[in-house]
Amino acid sequence: MSPKSARGTGSGPLAVALSMLFHPRQLSDFWRDKQPLQKLENLLERERDQLPLWVPVALGCGIASWYVLANFAWSLALVSLCGGLGLFAAMTARELRAGKALFWFALLAAIGCALIWFRSWSVAAPVLERPLVTIFNAEIERVEPVLARNMVRLTLRTGENPGLPPRVRVNVPLEQADPDLQDGALIQLRARLMPPAMPALPGAYDFSERAWFLGLGATGQALGEIRILQPADPLFALSRYRQQLSAHVQSQMSGAAGAIGATLATGDRGAIDEADAEAMRRSGLAHLLSISGLHVTAVVGAIYLLVLKSLALSPPLALRFRLPVVAAACAALAAVAYTLMTGAQVPTIRACVAALLVLVALMMGRSAITLRMVAAGALFVLIFWPEALVGPSFQLSFAAVTAIIALHEHPRIKALFMLREESVMRRVGRFIYSLFLTGLVVEIALMPIALYHFHKAGLYGALANIIAIPLTTFVIMPLEALALVLDSVGLGAPVWWACEKALNSLIALAHFVSSRPGAVTMLPTMPVIAFGFVLLGGLWLCLWRERWRYWGLVPALIGALVIATTRAPDLYITGDGRHVAIRNDRGELAMLRSRSGDFIRDMIRENAGVEGDSQALEDWPNADCNADACLVTLRKDGRDWQILATRSSHYISALALSAACRRADIVVSERWLPASCQPRWLKADRNLLAQVGGMTIDLENQKISTALDWTGRHVWTRYRSGEAKGDKRGNRN
C-alpha cells in the first residue's frame, strides 16, 4: 500500500477504515447501544417538556462560574471547555436528546460567562482611590429618604468634575435635606467621599461589587448646607410624587403602621423603625416589605378583576369586545405604573415582567402560572442584569415562586387542593392547609439562601405567613388603595382607620412570632460549595417530573451535612485591623473594642452565627488588657494560643513591641508593624490586611480564610498586590 492511499480522503483500505471509525453516525450507534445511556435517553424523552426550564440554569451556571473563578485565564479556559464539550456533543451524539441537551447546556454556560464578563466591562467607571473632602456640582439622579436613620440618600452625577467618579452616592442629614432635592435638580455641596467599602470579613456583604454594577465610584457624607443651583422640572420629578404620596400615607396612619403603609404604596422603606424591620425579618415576613411578586400580583389581580367585572355589567360591551383582553391591558398599565411609582427597583421590575407574561398568557388563552413563565422571567433578568444572580433578592424570589409552582404542579398536591363540592368548613380547612403547606415548602426552599446571605433564618415563617399573606393581600392593600381613592373626595378617614388597625395587627404578629423561643436559627458563614450543592439539589427536585427528580435529595443532603459540620472560626479580624472578635467553646463572642459601632458588631455576630450581645474582651478570663493592647490565652485542641491585639494609636517602643511579638503566636494590629515584630505563627498587620482583606482563623485546624479568598481579584476589588514576606511563620511545633 502506498503512502498516498493513507492520506486525506484517499480510497485506500486504511483511509476507508479511518473514515468508518470516526463517522459520527457510527459513534452515535455505539453510544446508543449502551444500556445506561439508553435509559437516560428514554428519561429525557419523557422529560422533553421540562428541558427548556434548564436554559436559565445553564446561563446561571456560566455566570456563577465567572464569579467563582475571578480570573481572566480561568474564565477563558471555562469558555473553551464549554465550547469543547459542545463540539464533542455535536459531533458524537447530535442525534440523541442527551447530546443535544449537553450541547445547549455547554453553549448557554459559555454565553452566561461571556455575558457577565461583558456586563462587568460595559459598566466600568472610575472609582475613587482614597478618601477626600471636596466641593463639587452635581445633578441629582435619585432621592431615597431613609427616615429611620434621619437622613436622605442622594445618587449624584458629577459630570465633568476632575478627580471625581461620574456617579457618587451621598448621605444627607435630614435637617439639611431641602424639599427641592429632587430628581434632576442641580446642586452644589461639600462632602467627604471614600471608595466603596470592601467586605470586612470573608463571606460578608461586598458593597464594592454592588457599587461597581451600579456605576458608583464613591460614597460619602454631605458636610454643611446644600445649595440648589437649578430646581428640578416638576413635571418629570417622579420622586417628588413618590415622596408626597409617602408623606400623605404616613400622615393618615401614625407610627409603624404609617411607615409600613408607605412602603406598600411607594416602596419607601426609610421610615420603618429598625426594631420593626428586625421583627419582620425574624418572623419570616420581611418579604412583605420588599415590593416584589406579592404586591405586584395584588395590584394586577385587583385591577384585572375590577375592570373585567365592571365592563361585564354592560351587555353591549360584553358582546362586542373580548373583555379579558381589555382587562389584561388595563392590569398591565397598572403594573407598569406601580413599578415606576415604587422606584423601579430590580425586584419590582422582575415581578412586573412576570406579571406581564401572565397577562399575555391570559390573552392567548394559555395556562398562566407555570414553571416556563418563571424560566422566562429568570432568563429576562439574567440577560439584562446578569449580576443579579448572586444577589439574595433574585435567589429568594425565584426560589420561592419555583417551589410554589413545583409543589402545586405535583399530581398528588393538585388532586388534594382542587376545587370540589364540599361543606364550607372543609373548604376553609383545605385552604388553610394549602397555605400552611405552601408556606412550609417556601421556608424550606428559602432557608439555605437566607442562611448563606444573612446567616439567619426564621423557623416559624410558615405559620406566620398563613395569617400575614391573606391579611396583606386581601385586607391591607385593598383598604389602602380604597382609602387613597376616597381621599380625592375627602371620605378616606374611616378606611384609613381600618387599614391602620390591620397594619398594627400585622406588626403585632411579627413581634409575637419573632420573640418566641427558637424563632430564629443562626449559622456561621457556610462554604460556597455546600451552598451550591443545596441549590443544585433543589433545582433537580423542582424542574423534573419523573421519579429521578428525587435524586436531587442526594446533593441537597450532602450540602446540608457539610453546612451542619462546618466548624465556626475562633478569631475574626476586620480588613482594617481595628476590630477583633474571639469566640470561645460556648459560642460567646468578645470584642477587642467595646465602643465598636452597631454595624460592625452586628456584622461580626452575623458572620459568626451568634445571637445576642458580645462582651468586652477585657472582661474575659485569660485576657490581660491595657489601654494599648490585649493579650489573650485561648486553649484549642489541647494547646494554648497567645493572641496579641493592639487597640490604640499611642506610641509603643519598638523594643517592647518586638518582645511582646516574640511571646505571642498571633499578632493583630491596624498599624504597620516593624520587621522586628516576629510572632510564632501569624502577623496580621496593616501590610498583610491591605493585601488579603479581613480574615477568620480556625485555631483547631490551623486554617486561615481571607476576604480575598472569597471575592477573588475581580475588577472591583482593591487589594494591594504583592506577597507579605514573613507574616506567616508556619505552624506551631
Side-chain angles (χ1 to χ4, degrees):
M1 181 179 66
S2 65
K4 289 185 178 181
S5 63
R7 291 202 305 263
T9 57
S11 58
L14 182 57
V16 173
L18 290 173
S19 66
M20 293 180 64
L21 177 62
F22 292 103
H23 195 278
R25 179 73 180 181
Q26 296 289 332
L27 287 174
S28 297
D29 292 339
F30 172 78
W31 294 117
R32 190 180 287 107
D33 291 339
K34 300 299 180 182
Q35 189 67 20
L37 292 176
Q38 183 60 45
K39 290 182 178 179
L40 175 62
E41 190 70 11
N42 294 337
L43 277 171
L44 292 176
E45 180 64 29
R46 293 196 296 270
E47 296 273 18
R48 60 184 180 275
D49 292 337
Q50 304 299 105
L51 290 176
L53 303 179
W54 290 89
V55 170
V57 176
L59 204 68
C61 285
I63 296 171
S65 299
W66 182 85
Y67 271 97
V68 172
L69 295 174
N71 182 278
F72 174 84
W74 282 107
S75 299
L76 190 61
L78 173 68
V79 174
S80 302
L81 176 63
C82 291
L85 285 175
L87 184 62
F88 172 78
M91 295 299 296
T92 62
R94 60 187 177 189
E95 296 179 2
L96 301 178
R97 193 173 292 277
K100 294 177 181 178
L102 177 60
F103 169 79
W104 284 109
F105 196 94
L107 178 63
L108 288 166
I111 292 174
C113 183
L115 193 64
I116 184 62
W117 206 342
F118 173 77
R119 171 73 172 166
S120 68
W121 170 81
S122 65
V123 299
V127 177
L128 196 66
E129 294 184 0
R130 60 183 61 86
L132 62 85
V133 176
T134 182
I135 298 175
F136 61 98
N137 298 340
E139 178 185 356
I140 299 178
E141 184 179 282
R142 182 178 178 84
V143 180
E144 300 175 74
V146 189
L147 301 182
R149 296 173 58 186
N150 294 316
M151 71 179 189
V152 175
R153 185 171 289 153
L154 303 179
T155 301
L156 307 174
R157 288 192 177 275
T158 61
E160 301 298 329
N161 283 287
L164 288 182
R167 180 184 290 173
V168 300
R169 196 172 76 181
V170 174
N171 296 331
V172 181
L174 196 59
E175 60 271 13
Q176 300 176 13
D178 192 287
D180 289 331
L181 294 177
Q182 301 294 334
D183 296 359
L186 296 179
I187 62 174
Q188 184 182 79
L189 73 160
R190 181 172 180 264
R192 183 180 187 273
L193 301 176
M194 59 180 53
M198 300 288 289
L201 289 172
Y205 177 62
D206 186 0
F207 178 72
S208 64
E209 183 263 343
R210 176 172 170 77
W212 178 267
F213 287 102
L214 290 176
L216 294 175
T219 61
Q221 180 78 21
L223 305 174
E225 297 294 329
I226 299 177
R227 181 183 173 192
I228 307 295
L229 301 179
Q230 179 180 326
D233 187 343
L235 182 62
F236 299 100
L238 187 60
S239 64
R240 181 190 296 272
Y241 304 136
R242 190 182 307 123
Q243 291 176 28
Q244 291 176 349
L245 179 58
S246 177
H248 176 72
V249 172
Q250 293 179 60
S251 68
Q252 299 297 320
M253 298 185 294
S254 61
I260 295 181
T263 300
L264 298 178
T266 66
D268 176 14
R269 302 176 59 176
I272 300 177
D273 186 74
E274 181 57 31
D276 295 327
E278 181 64 17
M280 297 291 282
R281 286 192 291 266
R282 292 171 61 91
S283 61
L285 304 180
H287 63 94
L288 299 176
L289 303 180
S290 176
I291 304 300
S292 55
L294 176 66
H295 310 80
V296 175
T297 300
V299 171
V300 168
I303 298 298
Y304 181 86
L305 290 176
L306 181 63
V307 173
L308 181 64
K309 298 300 182 182
S310 300
L311 295 180
L313 296 175
S314 172
L317 292 177
L319 292 174
R320 293 184 180 181
F321 300 98
R322 292 185 59 190
L323 297 187
V325 175
V326 178
C330 294
L333 291 175
V336 173
Y338 185 59
T339 299
L340 294 175
M341 181 56 67
T342 54
Q345 299 290 335
V346 173
T348 316
I349 295 174
R350 185 168 59 242
C352 181
V353 170
L356 294 179
L357 290 173
V358 170
L359 293 172
V360 169
L362 289 174
M363 292 180 182
M364 298 172 61
R366 303 289 297 273
S367 178
I369 310 299
T370 64
L371 285 175
R372 288 201 175 193
M373 182 271 292
V374 178
L379 190 62
F380 176 86
V381 173
L382 292 179
I383 289 174
F384 290 98
W385 300 282
E387 70 276 9
L389 175 76
V390 299
S393 176
F394 177 92
Q395 296 173 10
L396 289 170
S397 58
F398 277 102
V401 176
T402 300
I404 291 171
I405 296 177
L407 171 69
H408 288 273
E409 282 188 349
H410 194 283
R412 293 185 179 178
I413 301 299
K414 189 182 297 185
L416 179 63
F417 297 134
M418 69 169 46
L419 295 176
R420 64 195 71 188
E421 292 293 334
E422 57 185 353
S423 65
V424 175
M425 292 300 297
R426 291 181 64 87
R427 188 176 302 174
V428 172
R430 196 179 300 276
F431 175 74
I432 294 176
Y433 179 52
S434 172
L435 278 179
F436 172 75
L437 185 60
T438 302
L440 181 62
V441 169
V442 169
E443 285 296 319
I444 294 173
L446 300 188
M447 184 173 291
I449 301 174
L451 289 174
Y452 179 78
H453 290 283
F454 310 118
H455 314 289
K456 65 174 66 173
L459 298 180
Y460 303 147
L463 294 171
N465 278 289
I466 291 178
I467 302 173
I469 291 178
L471 179 64
T472 304
T473 307
F474 302 117
V475 179
I476 294 175
M477 293 191 68
L479 283 176
E480 190 166 351
L482 179 61
L484 289 171
V485 172
L486 292 178
D487 274 350
S488 61
V489 292
L491 299 176
V495 184
W496 282 120
W497 177 86
C499 186
E500 182 177 356
K501 296 301 181 184
L503 281 166
N504 285 330
S505 300
L506 177 66
I507 297 166
L509 173 67
H511 281 279
F512 174 78
V513 173
S514 65
S515 62
R516 297 305 92 193
V520 174
T521 181
M522 298 191 68
L523 286 179
T525 303
M526 67 175 67
V528 177
I529 186 67
F531 181 58
F533 269 112
V534 173
L535 289 186
L536 173 63
L539 287 170
W540 194 272
L541 276 169
C542 291
L543 300 188
W544 296 124
R545 288 185 175 178
E546 298 294 324
R547 294 180 62 86
W548 71 331
R549 69 191 302 178
Y550 299 110
W551 293 0
L553 293 173
V554 175
L557 291 175
I558 292 174
L561 183 63
V562 173
I563 294 170
T565 56
T566 298
R567 188 179 184 278
D570 303 297
L571 197 62
Y572 297 83
I573 306 169
T574 60
D576 56 6
R578 287 180 52 82
H579 305 285
V580 179
I582 301 178
R583 178 182 183 134
N584 64 13
D585 292 331
R586 296 188 299 274
E588 300 169 338
L589 275 184
M591 299 285 294
L592 174 67
R593 299 176 186 268
S594 57
R595 294 185 179 180
S596 302
D598 291 339
F599 174 78
I600 291 293
R601 286 199 301 268
D602 293 344
M603 183 270 300
I604 294 178
R605 284 202 303 264
E606 287 179 0
N607 279 264
V610 174
E611 189 174 13
D613 294 333
S614 55
Q615 304 176 30
L617 191 57
E618 56 261 29
D619 297 334
W620 259 31
N622 302 325
D624 183 13
C625 296
N626 57 32
D628 295 320
C630 280
L631 179 64
V632 182
T633 302
L634 199 61
R635 187 166 186 81
K636 292 291 178 182
D637 196 24
R639 292 185 291 184
D640 289 334
W641 291 82
Q642 302 290 327
I643 303 168
L644 175 66
T646 66
R647 60 175 185 175
S648 79
S649 58
H650 300 159
Y651 171 76
I652 302 176
S653 68
L655 185 62
L657 187 59
S658 300
C661 288
R662 286 194 297 271
R663 293 192 297 269
D665 300 294
I666 299 173
V667 176
V668 182
S669 178
E670 61 177 320
R671 310 181 182 200
W672 296 87
L673 295 179
S676 59
C677 175
Q678 296 293 334
R680 290 192 288 261
W681 194 59
L682 176 69
K683 181 172 74 175
D685 65 345
R686 182 179 295 185
N687 178 45
L688 177 63
L689 295 175
Q691 299 177 36
V692 301
M695 59 176 61
T696 58
I697 303 175
D698 179 358
L699 295 176
E700 187 170 306
N701 299 314
Q702 298 187 14
K703 179 182 177 182
I704 301 174
S705 179
T706 67
L708 179 61
D709 295 336
W710 278 77
T711 62
R713 293 198 178 275
H714 281 294
V715 288
W716 54 82
T717 57
R718 300 186 308 278
Y719 296 119
R720 185 165 54 83
S721 60
E723 297 296 331
K725 297 180 180 179
D727 290 316
K728 185 173 178 181
R729 312 304 301 172
N731 296 341
R732 296 183 66 199
N733 295 325

